Amino acid sequence: MADEDVSPQSSYHRDAIKTSVHNTSAQRRRQLAVAVGKERREALIRTKRLCREAHFDDNEASLEGDMNIEEERAVLNAQASQIIEDLKSATTYQGKGAAQKKVEALRALRRLLSKSEFPPVKAALQAGAVPLLVQYLSFGSPDEQLLEAAWCLTNIAAGEPEETKSLVPALPLLVAHLGEKSSVPVAEQCAWALGNVAGEGDELRNILLAQGALLPLARLMMSNKGSTARTASWALSNLIKGPQPNAATELIRIKGVLDAIIQHLRNLDDELVTEVAWVVVYLSALSEAAVGLLVKSDVVHLLVGKLAASERLHLLIPVLRSLGNLVAADSYMTDKVLVVGHNTTDQILLGLIKCLKSEHRVLKKEAAWVLSNIAAGSVGHKELIFSSEATPLMIHLLSSAPFDIRKEVAYTLGNLCVAPAKNAEQPSVIVHHLVALVNRECISGFIHLVRSADIQSAKLGLQFLELVMRGMPNREGPKLVEREDGIDAMERFQFHENEEMRTMANGLVDKYFGEDYGLDE
Amino acid sequence: MAMEVTQILLNAQSVDGSVRKHAEESLKQFQEQNLSAFLLSLSNELVSNEKPVDSRKLAGLVLKNALDAKEQHRKSELAQRWLSLDIAVKAQVKACLLQTLASPVPDARSTASQVIAKIAGIELPQKQWPELIGSLLSNIHQLQPHVKQATLETLGYLCEEVSPQVVDQDQVNKILTAVVQGMNASEGSSDVRLAATRALYNALGFAQANFSNDMERDYIMRVVCEATLSQEVKIRQSAFECLVAISSTYYDKLASYMQDIFTITAKAVKEDEEPVALQAIEFWSSICDEEIDILDEYGGEFTADSDIPCYYFIKQALPALVPMLLETLLKQEEDQDQDEGAWNLAMAGGTCLGLVARTVGDDIVPLVMPFIEENITRPNWRQREAATYAFGSILEGPSPDKLTPIVHVALSFMLTALMNDPNNHVKDTTAWTLGRIFEFLHGSTVETPIITPENCQQILTVLLQSMKDVPNVAEKACGALYFLAQGYEDVGAASPLSPFYQNIIEALLTVTRREDAGESRLRTAAYETLNEIVRCSTDETAPIVMQLVPVIMMELHQTLEAQKLSSDEREKQNELQGLLCGCLQVIIQKLGAAETTKYGFMQYTDQIMDLFLRVFACRNATVHEEAMLAIGALAYATGTNFLKYMQGFYPYLEMGLQNFEEYQVCAITVGVVGDLCRALEDKILPFCDGIMTQLLKDLSSNQLHRSVKPPIFSCFGDIALAIGENFEKYLIYAMPMLQSAAELSAHAVADDDDILEYTNQLRNGILEAYSGILQGFKSSPKTQLLMPYAYHILQFIDTLYSEKDMDDAVMKTAIGVLGDLADTLGSHVGPLINQSVSSKGFLEECLSSDDGLIKESADWAKLAISRAVSG
């Protein structure tokens, strides 16, 4: 055990100015090595940040008017041409590491095309990217090469319409690589590229359908792998968008598709459910055959379950729209599925109320639309809605919401006040609903609609005024309408070019405010 | 309870190894079995005047070691153990210690002083032992000088151990009064005076309030200055040490004393014994340090101001100071160049002269030039060397405009001297001066080049020739070549060195193989210079670098062939392997970075990797850090192809991550994990379980040096970027760690620059982890998994913003994370982001930043946020 120096004055002294190079050089070399790592980390983060994911791309151009954008573009364009040259020379390169060289050149192109707000797609196309990429997609190529080539095409397809169209020569091979013999990542990437193409417009959709893209995509959607099913669903929803309904009908008839939809809707992965729900949106919107199958399946219960449970806007929109399409298209829904007293019916109502309360315009509108269709159902449906929280919400929306929501809400409120029509008779009024709405000052909201330039809305308003004047007890109706300046609103139509509206308005004014009006008092 | 330990303590100092070992074992056992009894026995031993001095001294030392350790973790463990002891035991130990201060045996007193200070260091912050300072101060009034001396020594140690906040001002005043009185010339005992002077050195940090009071300060300064004139050399030295400490702690209070201090220091430098003269020079170096810092802040871009004004003491003292320092340059020791640790008047004087040049710039040149001209051609080597040394010392600071004309004239003189001067010492300093010329006056930023196509060849010829000289001169010539090459670093395709490239490399390789290359670290200097030459190679010279690959590989291979090495030989082998791996690291970096050389280089990678693995296998429990560093470079060069090496390499990677003791090795290995992530991308996945386990262990360990923690956090980000949503399974471990570290670092009390710097490194690491994780999950179906953490991340950024003490790097990373949150979680975090202060004030601040990188990140974040909010 050695003794220690007890003096506070140690032998410490500062570093001499005259030092040897080894003292600093090794240190510097290490710092450089660390700095390289740091630089590459930052470069990687930058690339990731700028990577445009076609999937979520909202095509929103950058609003930032940066001075350097032009310069940046020029640099990117030059890089694109250079990389295409590399790609060309790699096709003919036969030496050691040829495969690696190809993949690296493709990867460089893919990265470049994912770069910045302005990927140099045009420059790449001008340099001849598509025919080259088609060559790289040839059968029997290594997976990594196929993947990178398809990825490049995906990025190109995410560009401007003209750029997307330039992919046409590549479509047959992209469709071919969707097949069962392809590896999963390759097939998925091809689906992604095709989804971008199909999203461009009906012309390209028709080309893809003619080339048989539907069946392999449908098979891909049946995959158990989440990302594959999701990408395929997304691509399919783009492919069957119409306007012709054939593709939707064809899709639902493919064996296993409905089961796959049901299975995926049960999945906990919201992104997958969202994409599948979009498929259901187009199926239900375009194909009667599909509606017939869907309403009798578990799909409705699953959609209602998601509607009630989810808080995600992206998911709620297609779910609501699907449900709305189904309720509107087939009375089976209100008659057999959403029966009053069933749990599903209560759930859908709660889900719709949640959406009415949401901050988001689209959700409110779609929810009101679904409600209006349900409110057109049985008296039981009307009573259920009327006694729920939905009614006060809608009354509030009628006076405060944007026009399109007001209109949907007015339909629903109007529907709540009339019993289902029997034969050709004038539908009878459900008086206590009407009185309650009038007491809560709904008339002005409807009169507002009467004044609207939109004929449909004006008609809706007139119909409601008719109910009020006909149905309010003690013939109070006309007075209430008059008090809210209703006569003036109706007289707007006295010489209106639309005959139906003119007749309807004039009829009402004559009937309730004719010569006898006011004599009672 | 206490027992006799005298014999054991004496045995522990026996010359007989086995007796000693046995005694040490017994002590250890005793300590573990009954700490109270052990400490009591030791303090009883220490206090007993009947016991032999050796056993008492050792008793005190063992006692001290039971209370304190160098290693932080162990230190706090020992403190806790002491605090948890029975109060009566502690009281008894303390009583013995205080009593020992009155012992007639100096060694016993001195040991007791140190132990008391250690206990004070533990107890005073806990508000325990409040009577200690009072009872020590009452000793001061004792008449016996030895008690007074021991008490002052104790006060000195106490001030070293505890922080000023722990002692209240009233007690500080009393301590300072006692200490300064003890230093007074009227104090009869020089032992007391020395103890008091040394105590003041430690107590200066407590004297903030006293130095702000003119009268008290005048008094203290007068006493210190008087002590520098004491008869006793130790008192003089100690008093100058106090002046040095005062110069850095109370720079702004010195103005009225500078005249006197100059007189005192000049006298000491001129006449006093070396230890005293060195401290006198150190005073001026320390003033330079202060003024360089202040002027640095004046010139700083943003503040253009400093908390402390510059008094320009050096500038004012210049006409007298420079001649004083130049005088010292003539007092060289023979053979000082062969001794790396040498420190003498000449070296201290030259170092101070260099600092003065950096402080005053151009003004020094006319004061030094006459000395150089007068001495540089003298027959006495001391004069030639001093002149050269003076020239070399002032090359940093003055403007190139001022120096370039002089250097033009001097250059050819220096080259001739390096070849022809008969004295090695002169040649050594000449080569060093050439290196300084190249370091500060040559390079792409210098307007008028010193080196022209005409003299380039001559310079190289001389330097390569000197590399054959004696080891210390050759070593300096390598250094000059190093800076020469560095100046051409970004010269582009046509480097003036290219024509000589082959010759330079051959000459350097020849140096590395010299028999005497072990002397003066010549081999190290040659390899590092070779590395710099490689780094500065151009397309033109790349083929020559390529030819170097098999040569270095062969050298490395040869180190692996040696068998049955002695421990000395093993150390040499290890060092050489480090140099060779370092060289390969630079070569890999260079050749792997350019497309033109990359493919050619790939043919070697299998063999190189094999060599690295064999270097690792040479050792048992540790990994070679240079080999590790080189593997990081190799991973970049090979990309995903590195996968084939992973199986073989992984065990060493894990070993590196487990190396707590050599924390630099651990840090480098963590960096290599990042390199691997970027090279392998998702192919690293199979190894991630093991890596993450090690990293999490590292973070939870309180043994690991704190500097490794920020890179570990960054490494989380690297891993997440590589494996994307597969990081899912690590979230539940990594996120809470990040969260608690974030909380700690957000509010760190950072009144000390070092702590603030570390805190910002930590913040940066945490933010880089968040960035990596968020970007890694981007566009994955599992982004929802990150939602629960979004609030905390935002809160962290908000807090950083409100704390206002982050540096630019943190600012850039933080605004990036804000964008990443918006980018990855989209509309789900829109409302959260809208509520945060960061999304407004912080974003605005970053958008208007002068720093291009911050602005770029902010622009991007703004775009991402606007998408998320409108989503």
Side-chain angles (χ1 to χ4, degrees), chain A residues 9 18 30 41 46 49, chain B residues 241 429 626 718 820 856:
Chain A
Q9 286 79 11
K18 193 172 161 190
R30 278 170 207 202
R41 173 187 298 133
R46 272 163 66 121
R49 281 179 181 162
Chain B
E241 281 168 359
T429 305
E626 290 288 359
D718 296 335
D820 295 329
E856 186 191 303

Side-chain angles (χ1 to χ4, degrees), chain A residues 157-273:
Chain A
E160 300 297 311
E162 283 312 309
E163 295 166 356
T164 312
K165 278 181 194 150
S166 69
L167 243 66
V168 169
L171 298 182
L173 277 168
L174 286 172
V175 172
H177 285 300
L178 290 173
E180 280 145 7
K181 287 191 179 132
S182 301
S183 75
V184 175
V186 171
E188 198 178 317
Q189 194 61 51
C190 292
W192 198 336
L194 292 172
N196 276 340
V197 174
E200 180 44 46
D202 56 336
E203 190 189 334
L204 286 172
R205 280 199 275 283
N206 289 336
I207 295 176
L208 284 175
L209 289 168
Q211 290 179 351
L214 190 72
L215 183 63
L217 280 175
R219 291 237 172 90
L220 219 50
M221 184 177 69
M222 298 175 201
S223 163
N224 287 323
K225 187 166 182 274
S227 65
T228 311
R230 176 165 49 93
T231 309
S233 304
W234 168 75
L236 276 174
S237 65
N238 275 347
L239 190 62
I240 64 167
K241 260 183 192 163
Q244 297 85 352
N246 321 15
T249 304
E250 203 181 318
L251 176 62
I252 198 69
R253 287 191 173 140
I254 293 171
K255 194 165 170 249
V257 163
L258 186 58
D259 289 341
I261 289 174
I262 291 169
Q263 185 203 327
H264 293 325
L265 286 178
R266 289 206 171 101
N267 203 297
L268 293 176
D269 171 3
D270 275 353
E271 303 281 346
L272 174 58
V273 175

